[in-house]
Amino acid sequence: MMIVYIQIEEIGWKHLVRSAGDLKSLSFRILDNKGRVHIMEIQLDIHYPRFPPSISADVPYIFDLRWSMSSRLRDLVQQFQEHLKKLEDFWSIMDDIDKFLWVVDPKHPSRAMAYRQINIGNDCYIMLSINSRDPRSLPECRFMGADPIVNSLISIWRRNSKRWIKDNPFLENLARVLETQLLRPPDVPKNNQQLECGICYAQFLPVDDELEPKSGSATDYTCDNSKCNRAFHSVCLGDWLRSITTTRQSFNVYFGSCPYCSEPVAVKINSKK
């Protein structure tokens, strides 16, 4: 276990989001070059470091791990960062789709998802599947709606697919191939958004007498950093801050850092909403 402590220190304890008591399970917060937050889950083999750890993350595919007896956790983090760099173009395109088009599914996409169902008007939809390894290429698509309109769209797509130019912006290519102006997303009030907690990954706390008065409540705290805006249950965030040695407490308020972006946070404990 000592070797794991030393290797976590090499990465920096501030990047550690969660860990099991035996340190066989570790979660690190990693930022890509665009400031996006990613969580890398690491499971250490019982014979670590003789056998490589297993990795999971919210990415469309996992990289091939390079590992030897002399490898350390920081080497794993470096390889993950290299992988994130390869995916930056893919995520930029997906972010543009979510921001500028009327996406109906998924409502809350994860970074691993490479598809979007888009409302293109006249009760018709297009399901796009973007190649995460070559995101600027012509995507796979499937049209849904009334047969006459869908048949016309399929004909237009096939006729214009050769007009797709990889060096051009993705949305510009899509509008050109479809020969239509794509619909913008409707305005959605913030209070209609369903946000999952960045620590327990649930929207609502369980119904439990021990959690009163927060039992069954939704996320009630959001990081003030506009580039993060991660939502939390104040109960979960308080428990997490309590486990961090650098957290300060003044009366019933914990002061520490956001587990995703490291910006300052302050959360009341044992307080009603």
Side-chain angles (χ1 to χ4, degrees), residues 214-237:
K214 299 286 188 178
S215 177
S217 64
T219 52
D220 56 356
Y221 186 95
T222 304
C223 176
D224 290 333
N225 181 1
S226 60
K227 293 183 178 180
C228 177
N229 284 139
R230 194 71 193 227
F232 303 95
H233 299 115
S234 57
V235 171
C236 296
L237 184 56

Side-chain angles (χ1 to χ4, degrees), residues 186-218:
D187 292 330
V188 179
K190 288 186 177 180
N191 57 10
N192 284 348
Q193 295 179 356
Q194 297 182 353
L195 301 176
E196 295 180 349
C197 173
I199 294 174
C200 74
Y201 301 118
Q203 182 188 352
F204 299 100
L205 287 170
V207 177
D208 190 330
D209 291 341
E210 293 184 3
L211 294 175
E212 290 292 349
K214 299 286 188 178
S215 177
S217 64

Side-chain angles (χ1 to χ4, degrees), residues 35-63:
R36 303 183 187 95
V37 177
H38 305 273
I39 302 299
M40 179 175 60
E41 309 278 353
I42 302 173
Q43 295 289 331
L44 300 183
D45 188 90
I46 190 172
H47 299 296
Y48 176 86
R50 186 154 51 94
F51 289 93
S54 60
I55 312 158
S56 61
D58 190 13
V59 293
Y61 63 96
I62 291 293
F63 59 95

Side-chain angles (χ1 to χ4, degrees), residues 14 29 199 221 223 232 237 240-241 244 246-248 254-266:
K14 66 179 182 179
R29 182 190 71 250
I199 294 174
Y221 186 95
C223 176
F232 303 95
L237 184 56
W240 184 83
L241 289 173
I244 304 300
T246 55
T247 297
R248 296 180 295 106
Y254 282 137
F255 297 89
S257 301
C258 172
Y260 284 82
C261 69
S262 297
E263 288 295 304
V265 294

Side-chain angles (χ1 to χ4, degrees), residues 10-235:
E10 291 173 349
I11 297 170
W13 287 94
K14 66 179 182 179
H15 299 295
L16 184 68
V17 178
R18 290 179 299 275
S19 64
D22 59 1
L23 295 183
K24 296 298 183 184
S25 175
L26 306 169
S27 300
F28 288 98
R29 182 190 71 250
I30 310 295
L31 295 180
D32 64 23
N33 291 335
K34 298 292 184 180
R36 303 183 187 95
V37 177
H38 305 273
I39 302 299
M40 179 175 60
E41 309 278 353
I42 302 173
Q43 295 289 331
L44 300 183
D45 188 90
I46 190 172
H47 299 296
Y48 176 86
R50 186 154 51 94
F51 289 93
S54 60
I55 312 158
S56 61
D58 190 13
V59 293
Y61 63 96
I62 291 293
F63 59 95
D64 294 325
L65 176 62
R66 304 184 301 272
W67 192 262
S68 68
M69 275 292 294
S70 61
S71 296
R72 305 175 74 83
L73 289 177
R74 66 185 178 192
D75 301 318
L76 190 59
V77 170
Q78 182 178 358
Q79 291 180 52
F80 185 62
Q81 289 172 325
E82 293 171 356
H83 187 58
L84 295 180
K85 188 173 182 180
K86 294 178 182 177
L87 289 166
E88 283 179 6
D89 204 21
F90 165 72
W91 283 319
S92 292
I93 288 172
M94 303 307 288
D95 286 346
D96 283 347
I97 292 174
D98 292 332
K99 183 177 180 180
F100 297 111
L101 300 185
W102 189 340
V103 177
V104 296
D105 185 62
K107 294 292 185 182
H108 304 287
S110 71
R111 290 293 181 190
M113 294 178 177
Y115 76 93
R116 293 293 188 272
Q117 182 178 333
I118 299 166
N119 185 346
I120 55 177
N122 296 319
D123 291 325
C124 284
Y125 304 86
I126 181 173
M127 179 72 79
L128 294 175
S129 296
I130 290 82
N131 184 345
S132 58
R133 298 175 187 267
D134 187 15
R136 291 185 173 274
S137 63
L138 181 72
E140 295 181 10
C141 75
R142 181 165 59 91
F143 294 96
M144 293 165 281
D147 287 344
I149 300 177
V150 166
N151 291 336
S152 175
L153 288 170
I154 292 174
S155 177
I156 291 172
W157 182 270
R158 288 173 177 171
R159 183 176 69 246
N160 292 336
S161 60
K162 292 182 179 179
R163 299 176 62 189
W164 190 279
I165 303 173
K166 290 177 65 173
D167 291 337
N168 287 355
F170 186 93
L171 300 187
E172 179 183 314
N173 272 327
L174 189 61
R176 180 189 299 110
V177 171
L178 289 173
E179 295 182 356
T180 187
Q181 184 169 350
L182 299 169
L183 298 179
R184 301 273 300 186
D187 292 330
V188 179
K190 288 186 177 180
N191 57 10
N192 284 348
Q193 295 179 356
Q194 297 182 353
L195 301 176
E196 295 180 349
C197 173
I199 294 174
C200 74
Y201 301 118
Q203 182 188 352
F204 299 100
L205 287 170
V207 177
D208 190 330
D209 291 341
E210 293 184 3
L211 294 175
E212 290 292 349
K214 299 286 188 178
S215 177
S217 64
T219 52
D220 56 356
Y221 186 95
T222 304
C223 176
D224 290 333
N225 181 1
S226 60
K227 293 183 178 180
C228 177
N229 284 139
R230 194 71 193 227
F232 303 95
H233 299 115
S234 57
V235 171

